[in-house]
Amino acid sequence: MRGEGLAIVGPRPGTLQLFANVSGSVDDKGICQCSVYLPDTTFPVQQAERLEIIATTLSAKFESELSQVREYAKLVTLYQQKILNLTIRVEHMESSSVSYTELDFQLLKAEISDLDRLVTQLKSSLVGSNVIVEQIYMEIRNMTILVSELESMDKNNILAIRRQIVSLQNRLKECEENANKTTVPPYFPPGSCTHGGLLNVSQPYVVKLNWRGFSYKYGSWGRDYSPSNPENEFYWVAPLNTDGRLLEYYRIYSSFDNLLLFQQTYESRITYGEGSGVALYNNFLYYHAYNTRYMVKHDIRRNTMVLQKELQDAVIGNRFSYAGVSWQTLDFAVDENGLWVIYSTENNMGNIVISKLNETTLDVLNTWQTRQYKPSVSNAFMVCGVLYATRPVNTRKEEIFYMYDTTTGQEGRTSIVMEKKLDTIQSINYNPADQKLYVYNDGYLLRYDAIFQP
């Protein structure tokens, strides 16, 4: 018996045939047999190499196109931001009643022309269509038309606006010239109160860092005022310990030059004062005794305590201290009228209380209660019986904003800006002999000229 079967045959020379019908035969046991040609098992190396070359070429082209797309994406983002800026400017021109000069329109048109050129170039470099670029292109075209319309509408007002601009420029120039003129402030004899009160202060003169170093941020300094001998020069510098509370050491300088050269007349230790509300008046140092209501009068020549007296009703224990300045519950001040103390009481609900003191006995001669809350004030000082209080504006400016006249009992507002070098002003002392403010600013000694109004 013969049979036929479908078999896979190998390619013979000159043929690409994979399948073929072949003749078979049946053996004695009835099993069908046929011959089969198997495919050639040799690996197609040449085809694989061609395929690898094609894949490498396609990969390089893909990376190149992807790099261009990234660059285009960056450019599109940049152009979108520029168009947004231009759109805002044009919308402002539409909504505003202010006329624009022809130069403004020329600048706008130049920017839009640059954008038009860049987007046109981008369009030509992209293969196929890109929706974002087409939108940008159309927005630029619309913006060009809009600017042209605005320019034509605005030409009627250009001359009037130019006249206004010239007028404003002349007024600005006049203001600058007046501001640059150096005016000599009126002179008032030291120790007199014939002026109309504080008008301004000068720029600060940075004298030096306190003698104990930068870590001693709290303290006070100033010049002694002796009504009988106003030419006398004694300067004190009293940094508190680093806890910002304990007053232990102070130095006395016999002249300003000696202070600059660290040539102290003597250095003394007291036990103990509290806070930076120190004042030097007629060779006596006045300070707050540590953790008490006592006011202390200290002889700087003999370095001895002469007298102490309790200030009734004064709040202590760091309650109602100045803003940003701890432990200054009693603040002594000196002016043309003598010695004062600035503090708070519970009865006055933390508002500033001013008491005039007898410098010999420390008796309270008179007291005034203000309506200014003491913890909202950064510091205070007295000039001719008028209390001036400060508050911080920012890290480099302080404002003298409040005043209370003990002569009339009237309080008021003012605005005098004081430049400062660091954040916090720990103390301010006024001296009538030279009409200067002595400021302790985060460890640095600053000095200001007080300028008075006629």
Side-chain angles (χ1 to χ4, degrees):
M1 174 178 179
R2 296 176 61 88
E4 293 183 353
L6 182 63
I8 301 175
V9 297
R12 293 184 177 180
T15 178
L16 295 174
Q17 187 177 6
L18 295 178
F19 301 93
N21 293 322
V22 297
S23 298
S25 62
V26 180
D27 60 10
D28 295 339
K29 296 180 181 181
I31 298 174
C32 182
Q33 294 181 348
C34 62
S35 299
V36 176
Y37 295 97
L38 295 177
D40 189 356
T41 57
T42 305
F43 185 77
V45 176
Q46 294 181 348
Q47 294 180 4
E49 289 180 349
R50 286 199 302 272
L51 182 60
E52 185 178 1
I53 292 172
I54 293 172
T56 303
T57 304
L58 290 176
S59 176
K61 288 183 178 180
F62 175 76
E63 289 295 333
S64 176
E65 293 295 332
L66 183 61
S67 176
Q68 289 186 11
V69 168
R70 288 172 182 160
E71 293 297 324
Y72 297 154
K74 292 180 182 178
L75 289 174
V76 166
T77 302
L78 178 63
Y79 299 155
Q80 283 179 317
Q81 185 61 45
K82 286 188 176 183
I83 287 176
L84 177 61
N85 294 338
L86 286 172
T87 303
I88 294 172
R89 290 170 61 183
V90 172
E91 288 176 352
H92 178 69
M93 290 170 65
E94 289 181 297
S95 60
S96 176
S97 59
V98 179
S99 291
Y100 285 77
T101 64
E102 189 172 358
L103 179 60
D104 294 318
F105 290 107
Q106 294 298 330
L107 292 174
L108 270 177
K109 288 195 293 185
E111 291 183 23
I112 293 173
S113 177
D114 289 340
L115 282 174
D116 190 0
R117 176 179 54 79
L118 291 172
V119 173
T120 302
Q121 181 181 354
L122 182 58
K123 281 182 62 180
S124 63
S125 62
L126 284 175
V127 179
S129 176
N130 188 295
V131 177
I132 297 177
V133 175
E134 293 291 341
Q135 290 178 350
I136 294 175
Y137 185 76
M138 291 305 300
E139 288 184 17
I140 290 175
R141 291 299 182 190
N142 294 335
M143 195 178 298
T144 303
I145 297 172
L146 182 58
V147 171
S148 298
E149 291 177 353
L150 286 172
E151 183 182 21
S152 62
M153 293 171 58
D154 196 73
K155 282 183 178 178
N156 296 328
N157 298 322
I158 287 178
L159 292 177
I161 293 300
R162 281 182 175 171
R163 283 195 295 268
Q164 294 180 16
I165 290 175
V166 170
S167 175
L168 290 173
Q169 288 175 337
N170 290 335
R171 290 172 59 187
L172 178 61
K173 184 178 180 181
E174 182 180 351
C175 288
E176 290 177 347
E177 290 176 352
N178 292 334
N180 292 331
K181 288 181 179 178
T182 303
T183 56
V184 179
Y187 173 76
F188 299 99
S192 70
C193 292
T194 57
H195 51 74
L198 192 64
L199 175 65
N200 205 347
V201 296
S202 67
Q203 290 292 311
Y205 172 70
V206 182
V207 178
K208 60 191 290 187
L209 183 67
N210 78 88
W211 56 275
R212 298 189 75 179
F214 185 75
S215 298
Y216 295 83
K217 293 181 177 294
Y218 289 81
S220 62
W221 85 292
R223 178 182 172 182
D224 178 31
Y225 177 55
S226 178
S228 60
N229 186 18
E231 300 299 323
N232 181 42
E233 278 196 284
F234 274 107
Y235 295 87
W236 93 92
V237 181
L240 303 184
N241 288 357
T242 53
D243 62 357
R245 179 181 183 181
L246 188 64
L247 171 62
E248 189 173 6
Y249 295 96
Y250 69 93
R251 278 186 176 180
I252 299 296
Y253 301 86
S254 59
S255 69
F256 189 70
D257 289 340
N258 288 342
L259 186 149
L260 293 176
L261 297 173
F262 287 102
Q263 295 179 354
Q264 76 274 9
T265 303
Y266 51 84
E267 177 184 326
S268 300
R269 182 175 183 264
I270 56 178
T271 54
Y272 290 104
E274 179 177 283
S276 52
V278 179
L280 186 60
Y281 182 61
N282 204 17
N283 294 320
F284 290 96
L285 193 71
Y286 297 87
Y287 62 88
H288 177 203
Y290 185 84
N291 203 31
T292 69
R293 286 190 176 88
Y294 284 97
M295 304 176 289
V296 177
K297 180 180 181 181
H298 187 86
D299 188 340
I300 62 171
R301 295 185 182 274
R302 295 181 296 167
N303 192 36
T304 57
M305 184 179 67
V306 176
L307 177 68
Q308 64 176 358
K309 179 160 287 191
E310 186 177 13
L311 182 61
Q312 297 291 333
D313 299 326
V315 172
I316 60 171
N318 202 31
R319 182 163 168 78
F320 302 131
S321 185
Y322 290 133
V325 184
S326 302
W327 304 108
Q328 196 166 340
T329 46
L330 300 188
D331 184 15
F332 292 92
V334 173
D335 71 352
E336 291 82 355
N337 298 331
L339 182 65
W340 307 77
V341 63
I342 304 165
Y343 58 104
S344 290
T345 64
E346 294 287 357
N347 291 335
N348 203 32
M349 297 175 291
N351 292 335
I352 291 177
V353 177
I354 311 166
S355 288
K356 181 70 173 65
L357 300 176
N358 182 312
E359 63 271 12
T360 303
T361 63
L362 291 183
D363 291 333
V364 174
L365 303 178
N366 205 345
T367 297
W368 296 263
Q369 296 186 355
T370 75
R371 293 183 293 178
Q372 179 60 51
Y373 190 52
K374 189 168 180 276
S376 68
V377 167
S378 59
N379 235 281
F381 58 95
M382 300 292 298
V383 177
C384 288
V386 178
L387 175 119
Y388 292 92
T390 64
R391 62 184 175 189
V393 177
N394 53 46
T395 58
R396 291 296 179 267
K397 293 182 186 295
E398 202 88 359
E399 180 190 29
I400 303 172
F401 76 102
Y402 175 81
M403 53 191 295
Y404 185 93
D405 191 341
T406 59
T407 303
T408 62
Q410 299 295 316
E411 60 184 349
R413 298 286 173 174
T414 185
S415 181
I416 301 172
V417 175
M418 299 174 61
E419 302 287 340
K420 56 185 179 181
K421 296 305 176 184
L422 293 173
D423 293 353
T424 308
I425 286 179
Q426 281 76 21
S427 66
I428 303 177
N429 287 280
Y430 169 71
N431 187 276
D434 53 16
Q435 297 175 335
K436 296 182 187 295
L437 297 178
Y438 293 83
V439 175
Y440 197 97
N441 181 198
D442 278 334
Y444 284 88
L445 313 183
L446 310 184
R447 192 169 71 171
Y448 301 75
D449 292 324
I451 301 171
F452 300 108
Q453 52 188 336

